[in-house]
């Protein structure tokens, strides 16, 4: 069985928590795009783990894989492996596999990311992790791969070709070209330590599926940050939608059984770009404070707004969701009335689907449907029927409007605070 999970909004929908929960039922959990710009927080047995590279589900028996469509900072990965070991979680090569072709994020990628963002008149608000520049090198065929840092001969040959090019790129942006060659030996050292983890992810995943095993592909970021279909230029540099899992992992689309969207009961965005339902008032503050809406990777406060149905509809098209998990419903407790954006007004017209271009989306004024909220604490609920009537009605209304089943509802950060609807 092959299941793909992606974020249906702008990232931070709570994918990590859902994947972590579902990992118990899967043999393999695999990352297919993105890098350490992603972050997920797993709360288990009183401990909080903040992870960026290690796929979700690390606390269960599933094998974890990092696919060749990702970009990876090996220093951060090693730090995560060490942090987990200190907490008694041994991430051995039997547990984790890294594809030989995974692109390595080098110090010059991070430097270029920061320099470029500094020079943009209209900022993207990148995480400064070097993601865009590492992907540019993947597509430009100038990447350093996992296999390169694990072999000093390959690495030296690669760097011989790349160093002059990167030095001149950094100089051109008034940066310090010394960054290109500083700490290169560290990469070889880390490569040596990560070498036992190298694997062929496409082969492993296909073998597992052919043997009837269960594979869960874990997306990073969210659908509207997709480099092709998102709100350019305020997007990440990889394809974040479900189809990207097949391309990134080397698994044919005929193998896909389920596509689950993770969607918050409201919406958030970190960084720049249009967000039609953004709230700059006390309701927005409520969502940020109660939802602890601060970036896992950068700590930046997230912009918060009401649930946006047109964006959800587009996400359903982009991913072909078979099912949804609705997260953070508890954050809405205490707000009444609640608002759901059912459409937009743009240039005197009413739209029920987002316009394709970002500047048009930025000009959209939301049209809202108001529904009554609830005041009761729902963080302890373990079943749909135990929730206050208005909370049940809110979920059922979203389900009806989206036309896709909401299979799971999450009412808090802990593992036990998610139930099947
Ligand atoms: P980059 O991926 O660092 O290049 O950043 C591009 C945009 O994507 C910025 O607006 C980031 O804030 C956003 N972004 C990147 N990763 C995440 C994520 O995991 N969650 C939410 N937003 C993200």
């Amino acid at each position: 069985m092959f299941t793909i999970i992606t974020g249906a909004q702008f990232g931070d929908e709570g994918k990590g928590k859902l994947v972590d929960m579902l990992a118990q039922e899967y043999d393999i959990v695999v990352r297919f795009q993105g890098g350490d710009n992603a972050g997920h927080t797993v709360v288990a047995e009183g401990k909080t783990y903040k992870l960026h590279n290690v796929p979700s589900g690390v606390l269960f028996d599933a094998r974890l894989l990092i696919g060749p469509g990702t970009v990876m900072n090996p220093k951060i990965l090693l730090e995560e492996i060490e942090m987990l070991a200190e907490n008694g979680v041994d991430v051995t090569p039997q547990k984790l596999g890294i594809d030989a072709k995974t692109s390595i994020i080098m110090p010059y990628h991070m430097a270029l990311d920061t320099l470029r963002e500094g020079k943009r008149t209209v900022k993207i608000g990148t995480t400064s992790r070097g993601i865009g520049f590492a992907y540019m090198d993947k597509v430009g065929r100038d990447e350093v791969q996992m296999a390169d840092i694990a072999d000093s001969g390959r690495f030296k040959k690669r760097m011989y070709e790349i160093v002059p090019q990167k030095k001149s790129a950094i100089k051109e942006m008034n940066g310090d070209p010394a960054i290109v060659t500083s700490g290169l030996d560290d990469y070889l050292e880390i490569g040596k330590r990560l070498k036992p983890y190298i694997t062929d992810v496409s082969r492993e995943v296909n073998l597992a599926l052919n043997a009837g095993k269960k594979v869960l592909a874990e997306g990073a970021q969210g659908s509207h940050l997709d480099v092709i279909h998102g709100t350019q230029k305020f997007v990440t540099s990889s394809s974040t939608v479900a189809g990207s899992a097949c391309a990134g992992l080397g698994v044919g689309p005929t193998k896909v059984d389920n596509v689950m969207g993770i969607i918050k009961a409201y919406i958030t965005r970190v960084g720049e770009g249009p967000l039609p339902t953004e709230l700059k008032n006390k309701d927005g503050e409520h969502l940020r404070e109660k939802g602890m809406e601060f970036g896992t990777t950068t700590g930046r406060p997230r912009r918060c707004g009401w649930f946006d149905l047109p964006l959800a509809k587009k996400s359903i098209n982009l991913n072909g969701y078979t099912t949804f998990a609705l997260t953070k419903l508890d954050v809405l407790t205490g707000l009444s009335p609640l608002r759901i954006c059912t459409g937009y007004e743009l240039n005197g017209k009413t739209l029920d689907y987002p316009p394709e271009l970002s500047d048009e989306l930025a000009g959209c004024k939301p049209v809202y449907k108001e529904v009554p909220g609830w005041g009761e604490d729902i963080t302890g609920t373990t079943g749909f029927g135990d929730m206050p009537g208005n909370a049940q009605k809110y979920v059922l209304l979203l389900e009806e409007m989206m036309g896709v089943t909401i299979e799971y509802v999450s009412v808090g950060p802990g593992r036990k605070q998610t139930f099947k609807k």
Side-chain angles (χ1 to χ4, degrees):
M1 185 175 76
F2 186 33
T3 301
I4 302 169
I5 289 192
T6 65
Q9 294 157 320
F10 293 96
D12 310 312
E13 297 91 351
K15 294 178 291 295
K17 186 192 152 181
L18 254 292
V19 174
D20 186 67
M21 189 191 89
L22 295 174
Q24 302 172 69
E25 299 164 23
Y26 282 80
D27 299 292
I28 291 178
V29 177
V30 57
R31 279 276 307 267
F32 57 90
Q33 47 71 228
D36 62 310
N37 48 349
H40 58 265
T41 308
V42 181
V43 182
E45 280 145 29
K47 281 188 186 164
T48 301
Y49 301 92
K50 287 190 187 290
L51 300 168
H52 300 281
N53 282 300
V54 173
S56 305
V58 65
L59 305 178
F60 295 110
D61 291 336
R63 171 136 169 95
L64 307 178
L65 296 174
I66 296 176
T70 64
V71 291
M72 194 259 285
N73 183 326
K75 284 192 176 176
I76 307 267
L77 176 66
L78 206 57
E79 277 169 27
E80 286 176 14
I81 292 174
E82 282 166 0
M83 180 273 288
L84 286 162
E86 280 162 22
N87 284 281
V89 183
D90 221 3
V91 185
T92 60
Q94 284 66 48
K95 174 82 185 155
L96 174 71
I98 308 166
D99 196 274
K101 292 183 176 179
T102 301
S103 283
I104 297 299
I105 300 177
M106 300 294 291
Y108 50 81
H109 291 133
M110 291 178 271
L112 286 164
D113 199 0
T114 307
L115 288 166
R116 184 74 193 95
E117 182 75 347
K119 289 202 186 314
R120 284 191 176 105
T121 44
V122 178
K123 311 276 180 212
I124 295 174
T126 75
T127 58
S128 306
R129 299 295 175 115
I131 305 299
F133 283 84
Y135 270 113
M136 275 159 71
D137 277 354
K138 198 191 259 301
V139 178
R141 293 148 295 179
D142 282 325
E143 67 187 324
V144 174
Q145 298 184 331
M146 181 62 223
D148 297 323
I149 62 164
D151 176 317
S152 64
R154 285 178 77 111
F155 189 61
K156 280 183 189 139
K157 229 163 115 186
R158 205 79 196 99
M159 293 319 292
Y160 180 76
E161 196 188 345
I162 289 170
V163 164
Q165 184 213 113
K166 294 301 165 196
K167 278 192 167 171
S168 71
I170 290 200
K171 254 194 240 158
E172 236 171 69
M173 285 205 225
N174 304 324
D176 179 3
I179 187 85
V180 180
T181 42
S182 79
L184 286 185
D185 288 346
D186 294 353
Y187 277 74
L188 278 178
E189 197 44 48
I190 295 169
K192 219 190 277 171
R193 290 184 61 187
L194 292 180
K195 191 172 181 173
Y197 292 84
I198 291 179
T199 187
D200 178 342
V201 164
S202 170
R203 183 163 163 74
E204 262 206 51
V205 170
N206 279 291
L207 279 173
L209 290 173
N210 292 343
K213 293 193 175 163
K214 292 173 148 191
V215 178
L216 182 57
E218 174 188 16
Q221 291 84 44
S223 301
H224 300 299
L225 292 177
D226 184 275
V227 71
I228 303 166
H229 302 286
T231 55
Q232 290 95 346
K233 66 176 187 182
F234 312 99
V235 292
T236 191
S237 294
S238 63
S239 178
T240 57
V241 295
S244 162
C246 292
L249 297 176
V251 179
T254 49
K255 298 272 173 71
V256 180
D257 296 289
N258 315 297
V259 184
M260 181 187 278
I262 314 296
I263 195 159
K264 266 188 227 191
Y266 50 99
I267 198 164
T268 64
R269 171 164 209 165
V270 62
E272 306 304 320
L275 185 66
T277 64
E278 182 168 10
L279 292 166
K280 293 181 176 165
N281 59 11
K282 65 174 182 18
D283 289 343
E285 275 305 311
H286 170 111
L287 295 173
R288 188 172 308 109
E289 293 305 320
K290 271 201 83 178
M292 290 179 284
E293 297 293 359
F294 298 89
T296 317
T297 302
T298 57
R300 290 179 290 180
R302 296 180 187 138
R303 299 154 62 198
C304 302
W306 298 116
F307 188 89
D308 187 320
L309 182 64
L311 283 177
K313 283 185 188 164
K314 176 159 181 170
S315 208
I316 291 166
N317 284 346
L318 295 178
N319 292 276
Y321 290 133
T322 54
T323 179
F324 269 121
L326 183 76
T327 60
K328 295 193 137 180
L329 185 65
D330 56 301
V331 175
L332 296 182
T333 301
L335 289 177
S336 197
L338 299 170
R339 293 174 130 194
I340 297 168
C341 166
T342 53
Y344 308 127
E345 265 166 21
L346 180 69
N347 303 329
K349 286 196 183 132
T350 305
L351 311 176
D352 63 359
Y353 198 78
E356 196 177 3
L357 303 179
S358 289
D359 48 357
E360 291 172 346
L361 185 63
C364 283
K365 296 267 166 299
V367 176
Y368 288 115
K369 177 180 174 63
E370 284 194 353
V371 293
W374 59 92
E376 300 90 328
D377 178 12
I378 58 170
T379 54
T381 24
T382 50
F384 190 67
D386 302 338
M387 294 203 301
N390 284 345
Q392 293 185 31
K393 278 188 201 152
Y394 183 78
V395 176
L396 294 175
L397 181 61
L398 292 187
E399 188 173 55
E400 186 194 320
M401 291 192 300
M402 294 194 291
V404 177
T405 308
I406 294 176
E407 191 181 354
Y408 292 95
V409 177
S410 155
V411 291
R415 271 210 184 132
K416 296 196 176 115
Q417 291 171 298
T418 304
F419 51 82
K420 240 183 166 166
K421 183 176 121 292

